[in-house]
Amino acid sequence: MVECFSGARQIDSMRVLVNDVVKFQCYFTPRALGFFSNLKLVKEANELFDHMKKSGLCVPNSFTYNCLLDAISKVGDCCFIELRLKEMCSYGWELDKYAFTPFLQCHCNAGNFENALVVFNEMHEKGLVDAHVLSILLVSFSKWGKVDKAFELAERIEDLNIRLNEKTCFVLIHDFVREGRIHKAL
């Protein structure tokens, strides 16, 4: 049911289903919990996540946490995402690209320039940076008006054989042109 409602974007039906799941103490699979998190119902997803974990009706796994982290990142709640990352570590799980990427995205969405760089550098040290991760940071730099920083980072990363995707290149070119810096755009 969760998968069907999620695919059809039936948010109200999903809320009713979740209330019934909690009310009747039904088992919830980690996959179903992940679908719920993807509907951008962050508050409800967090409450359900905690209830399921506490009641033992769902044993969260890394997929479930990663879905929840992704949902939290979209609203830019950096404190809460850090709390969930610490929870994951308390289980002895190694944080991977799928945990770090929403953390980076969260800081970018919240406009936390310095913290985004710290997360990016940690990902870089762990070998978790790819074109997607790079794009998140470069596009955010561009939105923040730090096009030169984006360009410097892109040049630095090219030395590591990571290529920019088309979208990122278009964003950078557009921003340089907008600032009248045609030589950089070229």
Side-chain angles (χ1 to χ4, degrees), residues 3-18:
E3 187 173 358
C4 291
F5 288 147
S6 174
R9 314 301 280 167
Q10 296 292 316
I11 293 174
D12 290 335
S13 298
M14 184 72 99
R15 284 188 175 121
V16 170
L17 176 64
V18 168

Side-chain angles (χ1 to χ4, degrees), residues 156-163:
R156 191 178 92 190
I157 296 300
E158 261 184 17
D159 295 338
L160 300 174
N161 292 328
I162 298 176
R163 297 184 53 174

Side-chain angles (χ1 to χ4, degrees), residues 47-98:
E47 289 172 2
L48 179 64
F49 189 89
D50 287 335
H51 174 77
M52 290 295 166
K53 195 169 67 169
K54 207 177 289 176
S55 67
L57 294 172
C58 179
V59 179
N61 58 22
S62 61
F63 170 78
T64 310
Y65 268 96
N66 290 338
C67 289
L68 185 60
L69 294 175
D70 190 51
I72 296 168
S73 76
K74 290 178 174 99
V75 296
D77 191 339
C78 299
C79 294
F80 200 69
I81 206 167
E82 280 188 56
L83 177 69
R84 292 298 186 183
L85 287 168
K86 286 178 184 172
E87 276 180 33
M88 291 176 74
C89 290
S90 74
Y91 290 128
W93 297 340
E94 184 73 26
L95 299 180
D96 60 10
K97 181 179 110 171
Y98 302 103

Side-chain angles (χ1 to χ4, degrees), residues 107-156:
H107 282 296
C108 289
N109 288 343
N112 298 333
F113 173 72
E114 295 299 324
N115 292 342
L117 278 177
V118 168
V119 174
F120 179 81
N121 288 332
E122 188 173 349
M123 291 179 76
H124 187 307
E125 289 171 13
K126 293 177 181 279
L128 302 175
V129 174
D130 61 10
H132 174 70
V133 169
L134 181 60
S135 179
I136 290 169
L137 192 60
L138 292 177
V139 169
S140 295
F141 277 173
S142 189
K143 285 179 187 175
W144 298 330
K146 299 184 181 297
V147 182
D148 283 331
K149 287 266 188 214
F151 192 76
E152 288 172 25
L153 182 61
E155 285 181 326
R156 191 178 92 190

Side-chain angles (χ1 to χ4, degrees), residues 160-172:
L160 300 174
N161 292 328
I162 298 176
R163 297 184 53 174
L164 298 177
N165 61 32
E166 280 185 32
K167 176 187 173 194
T168 307
C169 287
F170 291 152
V171 168
L172 291 174

